């Protein structure tokens, strides 16, 4: 009588490694697991590695359509949606107050537009290009204002203020050629930088203002206010600094600050 073959042992799933972001997930390996283990393993992989979320969703969709026991393990409360739609990364579902947006690339864009993009052109051509450069810099400022919403996190607001300060300093220090000089003239009247900074600071709590001023940002803001007076630009910047420091500005937000080379006797009379 032939000896019966021993029963094949069930695969031990306890030591199955979690797939990394560049691993190739083999469907047959997944399907050899218990249904609950399949979904748990795939969901865990998608959570930890958002870049394979679409692959995971595709595997679930295929397996759910072919194997009813897989479909049954997908939560009914989700209407089996996980098997039909790509799994979204958790970070995409975070509210604005939990995200931190880095705006530093805007300061680099503004610096290049003013200092290098048209550097090889002659003065007359630079003059013609200067209005476009002004628009580019204003576009950077507006981009920050749009993305730094009312519910933005402290980190996002801090990055916005630091980037706007850098753009402001670039404008102040770039008056050595035609484009830099013309951009400075533009910001003698255009107050979008100060208005954007003021709006961000207004939406900060006093605790957030204190935190942002504890580092070197406060010193650099004071430096920018002085530079703005030297070059007669950003006329409302000292009001932003006053709000950050928790003090009431001596001037209304819409009032232009005098340049350092102007007679300041009127300021003295204000007390």
């Amino acid at each position: 009588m032939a000896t019966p073959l021993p029963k094949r042992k069930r695969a031990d799933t306890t030591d199955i490694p979690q797939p990394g972001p560049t691993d190739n997930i083999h469907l047959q390996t997944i399907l050899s697991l218990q249904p609950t283990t399949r979904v748990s393993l795939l969901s865990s992989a998608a959570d930890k590695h958002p870049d394979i979320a679409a692959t995971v969703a595709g595997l679930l969709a295929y397996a759910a359509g072919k194997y009813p026991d897989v479909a049954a393990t997908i939560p009914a409360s989700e209407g089996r949606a996980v098997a039909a739609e790509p799994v979204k990364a958790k970070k995409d579902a975070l509210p604005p107050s939990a995200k931190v947006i880095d705006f530093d690339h805007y300061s680099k864009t503004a610096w290049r537009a003013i200092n290098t993009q048209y550097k090889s052109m002659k003065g007359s051509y630079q003059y013609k290009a200067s209005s476009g450069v002004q628009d580019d810099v204003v576009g950077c400022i507006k981009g920050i204002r749009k993305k730094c919403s009312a519910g933005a996190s402290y980190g996002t607001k801090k990055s916005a203020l630091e980037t706007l300060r850098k753009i402001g300093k670039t404008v102040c220090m770039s008056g050595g050629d035609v484009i830099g000089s013309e951009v400075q003239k533009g910001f003698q009247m255009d107050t979008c930088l100060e208005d954007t900074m003021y709006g961000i600071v207004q939406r900060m709590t006093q605790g957030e203002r204190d935190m942002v001023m504890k580092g070197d940002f406060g010193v650099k803001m004071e430096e920018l206010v002085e530079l703005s007076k030297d070059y007669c630009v950003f006329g409302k910047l000292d009001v932003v600094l006053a709000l950050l420091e928790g003090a009431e500005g001596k001037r209304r937000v819409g009032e232009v600050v005098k340049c350092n080379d102007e007679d300041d006797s009127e300021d003295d009379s204000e007390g």
Side-chain angles (χ1 to χ4, degrees), residues 99-141:
K99 295 180 181 178
V100 176
I101 302 175
D102 185 358
F103 295 107
D104 190 59
H105 62 95
Y106 282 113
S107 67
K108 292 179 173 62
T109 298
W111 187 91
R112 286 193 295 267
I114 296 173
N115 292 292
T116 63
Q117 193 168 345
Y118 302 99
K119 188 174 183 179
S120 61
M121 288 184 173
K122 293 182 179 179
S124 60
Y125 291 102
Q126 284 194 9
Y127 179 80
K128 292 179 181 179
S130 62
S131 62
V133 174
Q134 172 80 13
D135 291 341
D136 290 343
V137 177
V138 171
C140 292
I141 296 169

Side-chain angles (χ1 to χ4, degrees), residues 29-239:
T29 301
I30 298 298
L31 294 178
S32 69
L33 306 176
Q34 290 295 309
T36 55
T37 306
R38 298 171 197 168
V39 175
S40 176
L41 181 60
L42 288 168
S43 298
S44 175
D47 288 344
K48 292 182 179 180
H49 308 293
D51 51 333
I52 65 167
T55 302
V56 169
L59 287 170
L60 283 173
Y62 175 82
K66 191 172 182 179
Y67 300 93
D69 59 335
V70 174
T73 63
I74 300 173
S77 60
E78 298 180 7
R80 312 287 192 258
V82 68
E85 299 178 1
V87 179
K88 293 183 179 180
K90 279 188 174 181
K91 62 180 181 180
D92 292 337
L94 291 175
S97 59
K99 295 180 181 178
V100 176
I101 302 175
D102 185 358
F103 295 107
D104 190 59
H105 62 95
Y106 282 113
S107 67
K108 292 179 173 62
T109 298
W111 187 91
R112 286 193 295 267
I114 296 173
N115 292 292
T116 63
Q117 193 168 345
Y118 302 99
K119 188 174 183 179
S120 61
M121 288 184 173
K122 293 182 179 179
S124 60
Y125 291 102
Q126 284 194 9
Y127 179 80
K128 292 179 181 179
S130 62
S131 62
V133 174
Q134 172 80 13
D135 291 341
D136 290 343
V137 177
V138 171
C140 292
I141 296 169
K142 288 182 177 179
I144 295 171
R145 181 173 61 194
K146 182 178 179 180
K147 294 180 181 178
C148 191
S149 60
S153 65
Y154 166 73
T156 295
K157 288 180 278 194
K158 181 174 183 287
S159 176
L161 291 174
E162 289 176 337
T163 303
L164 290 165
R165 183 202 62 79
K166 290 179 182 179
I167 293 174
K169 186 171 183 179
T170 294
V171 171
C172 288
M173 304 303 293
S174 300
D177 59 9
V178 174
I179 285 182
S181 178
E182 290 301 312
V183 170
Q184 284 183 354
K185 290 177 182 178
F187 282 105
Q188 288 177 357
M189 299 299 295
D190 193 328
T191 62
C192 66
L193 185 136
E194 311 100 286
D195 292 340
T196 300
M197 294 187 83
Y198 190 86
I200 293 169
V201 177
Q202 268 192 321
R203 295 193 293 268
M204 299 176 82
T205 65
Q206 188 56 53
E208 289 175 331
R209 295 171 192 173
D210 293 341
M211 281 193 294
V212 78
M213 293 295 284
K214 280 182 180 178
D216 60 357
F217 176 78
V219 175
K220 291 180 178 180
M221 269 297 293
E222 291 175 354
E223 175 197 39
L224 182 59
V225 168
E226 292 305 311
L227 286 172
S228 71
K229 294 177 183 178
D230 291 339
Y231 294 99
C232 296
V233 293
F234 310 129
K236 300 189 297 185
L237 202 57
D238 64 341
V239 182

Side-chain angles (χ1 to χ4, degrees), residues 238-260:
D238 64 341
V239 182
V240 177
L241 181 59
L243 184 60
L244 278 165
E245 292 174 338
E248 293 184 4
K250 292 183 180 180
R251 305 170 182 85
R252 298 191 312 273
V253 177
E255 191 173 343
V256 177
V257 177
K258 286 183 176 292
C259 302
N260 279 346

